[in-house]
Amino acid sequence: MRRLLPLLLLTSAVVIGGCASADPAPDSADGAVAGSGGAVPDAGSGSGISQAENDLRIEVDLGDGVAPQTWTLTCVGFVEGTHPRAEDACAHLDGMTEPFAPLPEDQMCSQQYGGPQTAHITGRWRGEPVDLELSRVDGCLISQWDSFGPVLPVPVGVEPLG
């Protein structure tokens, strides 16, 4: 029995040490860690800093020669950021099925010009990376822009489609 005691203690220490981990295991399918407030590791940064699962940076260039506007938007059970209509923007995005899905490449689009406005949205939404370029140079892109509702500004003098 005395010979088994050190072996038993060593085995217990190995088992307990194996249970502890430097990286907490996700508690859901989206990779969020319990107690992280919806934050997921930002794999691209390598710094160990977490980014919220619904955390966006929105840059809008109205094409009028004025410097682009940049806003932040975080929607994780509470709303924060510099977006001028943050509450409305979060609610709108939350109601969309796949807001950042690219348009199909074979989609037929009307050849109409909606204006020089462009936008670039980056960050994470529902835990997935977002990198979406938007413009108003044809019917499909105008419709995509307008689908974002309060997330993007409606150009002055333009009525949204639909």
Side-chain angles (χ1 to χ4, degrees):
M1 182 69 172
R2 286 186 176 206
R3 283 191 234 154
L4 292 177
L5 186 59
L7 183 59
L8 182 60
L9 290 174
L10 180 61
T11 303
S12 298
V14 170
V15 170
I16 291 171
C19 291
S21 170
D23 296 325
D27 66 347
S28 64
D30 67 4
V33 176
S36 67
V40 293
D42 185 3
S45 72
S47 66
I49 296 174
S50 294
Q51 181 179 20
E53 79 172 9
N54 295 333
D55 190 18
L56 302 171
R57 180 179 181 275
I58 303 164
E59 183 176 305
V60 177
D61 185 346
L62 297 177
D64 58 2
V66 177
Q69 301 170 20
T70 302
W71 304 311
T72 57
L73 182 63
T74 302
C75 315
V76 289
F78 58 90
V79 175
E80 66 181 20
T82 60
H83 192 284
R85 295 180 59 194
E87 294 275 342
D88 294 336
C90 285
H92 186 80
L93 286 170
D94 193 47
M96 296 175 76
T97 304
E98 292 184 59
F100 302 104
L103 295 176
E105 289 186 26
D106 61 348
Q107 186 173 3
M108 299 283 291
C109 302
S110 63
Q111 296 302 303
Q112 67 187 79
Y113 182 69
Q117 298 81 12
T118 59
H120 188 198
I121 304 175
T122 56
R124 297 186 77 76
W125 188 257
R126 297 182 182 136
E128 296 297 319
V130 171
D131 188 356
L132 182 65
E133 300 271 351
L134 297 148
S135 69
R136 299 180 56 81
V137 297
D138 67 32
C140 295
L141 293 170
I142 293 169
S143 180
Q144 183 184 34
W145 181 289
D146 289 349
S147 75
F148 278 91
V151 177
L152 298 174
V154 175
V156 175
V158 175
E159 291 294 319
L161 294 177

